[in-house]
Amino acid sequence: MALIHARGLVKRYRKGSEEIRPVSNLDLDVEEGEFVSIRGPSGSGKSTLLHLLGGLDRPDEGTLEVAGASLKALSEKELCRFRNQNVGFVFQVFHLVPVLTALENVELPLRLTALSAARRKEQAELALTLVGLADRLTHRPNELSGGQQQRVAIARAIATDPKLILADEPTGDLDERTGEEIIELFAQLHAQHQKTIVMVTHDVEKAGRATRQLHYSMGQVSAAPVKGAA
């Protein structure tokens, strides 16, 4: 079953007298349980597409259904609720709150739910355990390595048990070895916990860890990566 169903998506911006279309008449289906990578050069519009899929931005044209919801039809309040219940975001920059512990950072999205404080703590601890940080619950971001901080960010993304994980260059600020560890974590979340993941990257090797690879160019995706594209 398609978790993401997009047809004719268009996102346009104006730069002076020029119209820019980072997403242009794009069609995309992602089945529930897939791990999809989208590869293409920097500035090609991959992040804009991810923002549309996660309800952080709205398309100017086309239809977009994610987890059974028509995102164009939702109000801002409904979009906020949709994101909290259905989507986990992982960015290149970790976006952790410096004064909060790892546990408190992971609890943040759970505070928007009806869960009790005890249940929020339990789910946050479980998420941190899943990413290998059960022994770092009380550490603040400046006490963690870059890879550990990204693991906290991933734990925060999965704490609400979302249907979809969207990852935007999740290894971009990490060294090669640490980046490989983060990609392995995504692969485990997909294989062991059946998470649907859409990951944007410009890295050929990391894109290859996904179960389906797409290439992004001229505002559209193709069914297979283009040889030699970066």
Side-chain angles (χ1 to χ4, degrees):
M1 186 175 76
L3 186 67
I4 297 173
H5 179 74
R7 289 294 180 270
L9 279 194
V10 173
K11 185 63 185 178
R12 63 172 70 91
Y13 300 101
R14 296 213 68 84
K15 187 175 181 181
S17 59
E18 181 184 7
E19 181 181 274
I20 299 172
R21 291 194 176 198
V23 180
S24 181
N25 297 314
L26 180 140
D27 295 341
L28 176 66
D29 286 307
V30 175
E31 300 298 314
E32 191 168 353
E34 278 198 286
F35 180 7
V36 177
S37 65
I38 301 177
R39 183 167 60 90
S42 298
S44 60
K46 304 184 304 295
S47 294
T48 300
L49 173 60
L50 223 60
H51 290 176
L52 293 177
L53 299 181
L56 292 175
D57 204 352
R58 295 179 186 269
D60 293 307
E61 298 177 24
T63 60
L64 175 59
E65 294 183 3
V66 180
S70 176
L71 299 197
K72 284 185 71 175
L74 299 182
S75 67
E76 289 300 325
K77 184 176 181 179
E78 289 169 336
L79 263 181
C80 183
R81 186 182 304 114
F82 167 84
R83 290 193 299 266
N84 184 254
Q85 294 177 348
N86 296 284
V87 186
F89 294 94
V90 181
F91 299 100
Q92 180 174 339
V93 179
F94 314 130
H95 294 303
L96 301 179
V97 181
V99 298
L100 299 183
T101 65
L103 184 65
E104 291 166 339
N105 268 285
V106 174
E107 276 191 275
L108 284 176
L110 296 171
R111 291 181 174 274
L112 297 176
T113 71
L115 294 176
S116 67
R119 183 60 180 155
R120 291 199 305 265
K121 182 179 179 183
E122 181 181 338
Q123 284 196 209
E125 287 180 351
L126 175 60
L128 284 163
T129 299
L130 285 176
V131 302
L133 291 179
D135 59 344
R136 295 290 190 271
L137 303 183
T138 61
H139 288 61
R140 290 182 170 80
N142 65 354
E143 300 171 312
L144 300 171
S145 68
Q148 289 172 332
Q149 289 184 60
Q150 188 62 298
R151 286 176 180 268
V152 173
I154 294 170
R156 182 181 57 195
I158 65 174
T160 59
D161 193 23
K163 293 182 176 66
L164 174 65
I165 298 173
L166 298 176
D168 191 355
E169 298 283 4
T171 64
D173 278 354
L174 304 174
D175 62 68
E176 186 63 28
R177 181 183 65 81
T178 305
E180 286 296 332
E181 292 174 354
I182 294 301
I183 295 300
E184 177 61 27
L185 177 56
F186 279 121
Q188 291 174 5
L189 288 170
H190 168 254
Q192 299 175 16
H193 301 279
Q194 293 75 53
K195 289 299 180 185
T196 306
I197 302 171
V198 178
M199 178 181 70
V200 155
T201 183
H202 65 274
D203 188 297
V204 177
E205 297 299 324
K206 293 178 176 60
R209 296 296 303 275
T211 56
R212 179 160 64 110
Q213 299 177 59
L214 299 174
H215 182 258
Y216 198 84
S217 179
M218 304 296 290
Q220 299 185 6
V221 289
S222 56
V226 175
K227 186 176 180 180

